[in-house]
Amino acid sequence: NAGAQAEAGNAGAQAEAGNEVRGLWVVRTSLTSPASVLKMVAAADNAGINALFVQVRGRGDAYYASALEPRGALLANQPKAFDPLALVIREAHARGIAVHAWVNVGLVADAPRLPAAATHIVRQHPEWLMVPRELAAVAARTRPRDPSFVSALARWTRANIAKVEGLYVSPIPRAAREHAASLARDLTRRYAVDGLHLDYVRYPHDGFDYSAAALAEFRAAIGADLEPAALAALDARARTAPALFTDRFPQRWNAFRRERVTAVVAAMASAARQERPGIIISAAVVPDPAAALAGKLQDWPAWASRGIVDALCPMAYAEDRGTFTAQVDAVHNAAGRVPVWTGIGAYRLTAIETASRIREAREAGSAGVVLFSYDSVSSGRAGHRYLTDVARAAFSILSF
């Protein structure tokens, strides 16, 4: 409604219009009760944080009132009336703190324990799941709705957990991209959020997606440019070598996959802007643009140059200062005019080290910083003062 939109606009203006963004990523584990939400917002306010990035979609679930996905499992012991996102918005906006809805787009399930909800995307649409090259033959001969398909994918993922965090939804099937856009539309229609923050908008690595649906779409894209006889010959060989077209046209395969990731970001951004004009679209990205393109098929420089996103949040989590400097410089060189909110791995650093990174990001031209994460730095013996120690050292305008 108009009042909610005005509230969002006022908070956003206080937090971000012409001022340094002092952001904090908040993982869903801190959204599991009213008490934990109130504690988090108060801690952020005391530390001079002016933008909260709250994880409202962690693994294909919802820490808000969603019409499209199941309620987060961590909310099982809370009454249905408890709405974490609504409470964050109410409390944060009352303090002039902006709220960005943090959505994990591709990563939808942890492999060790598959989601139990019958309405979960893994159970409703297994045909949308990404497949590693090693399972291309299995995917080609197994129906996605056959329980053995998801089981095989989960087993492979558990065995390769160092290379892939869990199960991912592919950006290639049109229906999967439409679902992502619907999520953005539903979320921004229901809530007066200041921003939509997209994470895991990438492939786990360049060895995905060899699902039957993805390979079929790529074959169709390639087939339009081939002579019928050449296409027929390749089709004959592909019956026993599912990845044949990707091997024959590797550059087009990489471009095809990158374009589909960009299409997801564009669709979600467009849907959110239609529902809530003026909303800020940001994305957590791999800081090295070359590594992002080659390893994750994440073309975030194109997102910036095309105006798809309003801000970039490079995950510059390096503990080594030299590496951190190189990451921040690389992002600024590729971001063009799009603001950079440097992501800092506070969970790996002391409060003094984090403050030093903030100052360095500022000197490099960053329009703000986002610390990862509230949940990690607020735990432990010194957790109650970590954020205020950072603020004292890096946000000199604050007084305590």
Side-chain angles (χ1 to χ4, degrees):
N1 57 46
Q5 290 185 17
E7 179 188 14
N10 291 338
Q14 291 178 48
E16 293 166 84
N19 298 319
E20 177 181 68
V21 171
R22 296 168 178 175
L24 189 61
W25 273 300
V26 181
V27 180
R28 62 196 182 281
T29 49
S30 291
L31 305 176
T32 56
S33 72
S36 62
V37 169
L38 294 176
K39 179 182 178 182
M40 178 272 294
V41 175
D45 188 33
N46 289 337
I49 295 297
N50 60 21
L52 292 171
F53 295 74
V54 290
Q55 190 181 63
V56 296
R57 188 191 196 231
R59 298 292 186 271
D61 48 13
Y63 287 79
Y64 62 100
S66 173
L68 301 171
E69 296 197 307
R71 185 172 168 87
L74 298 178
L75 300 176
N77 295 327
Q78 291 294 326
K80 295 294 184 182
F82 172 53
D83 184 331
L85 179 55
L87 183 57
V88 171
I89 291 171
R90 188 189 78 189
E91 295 298 314
H93 281 181
R95 294 166 169 81
I97 300 173
V99 178
H100 298 251
W102 167 16
V103 172
N104 283 349
V105 179
L107 181 60
V108 293
D110 294 319
R113 179 176 295 180
L114 293 178
T119 55
H120 194 280
I121 197 169
V122 168
R123 300 189 179 279
Q124 288 288 307
H125 294 287
E127 71 278 11
W128 295 350
L129 296 177
M130 283 198 201
V131 171
R133 184 187 175 94
E134 292 87 337
L135 294 184
V138 173
R141 65 173 181 263
T142 308
R143 292 179 180 272
R145 293 192 175 276
D146 185 324
S148 66
F149 171 75
V150 173
S151 295
L153 188 54
R155 282 196 306 273
W156 185 92
T157 305
R158 287 193 293 269
N160 292 273
I161 203 67
K163 297 188 294 183
V164 56
E165 303 93 327
L167 303 187
Y168 277 66
V169 162
S170 176
I172 294 177
R174 179 182 295 275
R177 297 197 302 274
E178 291 174 346
H179 178 74
S182 295
L183 288 176
R185 183 174 296 108
D186 179 62
L187 176 57
T188 53
R189 177 186 298 147
R190 291 168 180 264
Y191 294 90
V193 291
D194 303 279
L196 178 65
H197 180 65
L198 306 179
D199 195 4
Y200 285 100
V201 201
R202 58 184 187 261
Y203 289 76
H205 57 72
D206 64 352
F208 288 76
D209 173 24
Y210 290 81
S211 65
L215 294 177
E217 284 208 30
F218 181 63
R219 181 262 179 209
I222 289 292
D225 299 329
L226 298 178
E227 294 293 331
L231 179 60
L234 289 172
D235 281 340
R237 293 178 57 195
R239 294 190 185 99
T240 55
L244 178 68
F245 282 90
T246 70
D247 292 341
R248 180 62 65 90
F249 305 98
Q251 292 183 344
R252 288 193 62 176
W253 173 231
N254 287 340
F256 175 83
R257 289 183 291 173
R258 288 195 300 265
E259 289 163 1
R260 291 303 189 275
V261 176
T262 298
V264 170
V265 178
M268 297 185 76
S270 177
R273 287 170 176 143
Q274 288 172 11
E275 291 298 329
R276 197 164 291 279
I279 193 171
I280 297 170
I281 308 297
S282 62
V285 300
V286 175
D288 182 335
L293 277 172
K296 303 295 185 178
L297 301 156
Q298 183 186 69
D299 191 4
W300 59 256
W303 307 350
S305 65
R306 291 170 51 185
I308 297 173
V309 296
D310 301 305
L312 292 166
C313 300
M315 297 175 289
Y317 297 165
E319 293 179 74
D320 174 72
R321 183 162 188 163
T323 303
F324 174 82
T325 300
Q327 290 177 334
V328 175
D329 288 345
V331 173
H332 279 282
N333 288 336
R337 296 186 177 183
V338 170
V340 174
W341 301 339
T342 297
I344 296 173
Y347 70 102
R348 294 179 167 179
L349 307 169
T350 66
I352 295 303
E353 289 171 331
T354 293
S356 177
R357 295 290 195 276
I358 292 171
R359 289 192 292 269
E360 187 169 345
R362 189 182 288 147
E363 291 166 3
S366 295
V369 295
V370 187
L371 307 184
F372 188 87
S373 64
Y374 165 78
D375 318 76
S376 58
V377 303
S378 63
S379 61
R381 290 165 56 184
H384 67 283
R385 66 173 187 268
Y386 187 102
L387 290 175
T388 51
D389 285 349
V390 168
R392 285 190 180 99
F395 305 152
S396 59
I397 63 168
L398 297 177
S399 59
F400 294 90

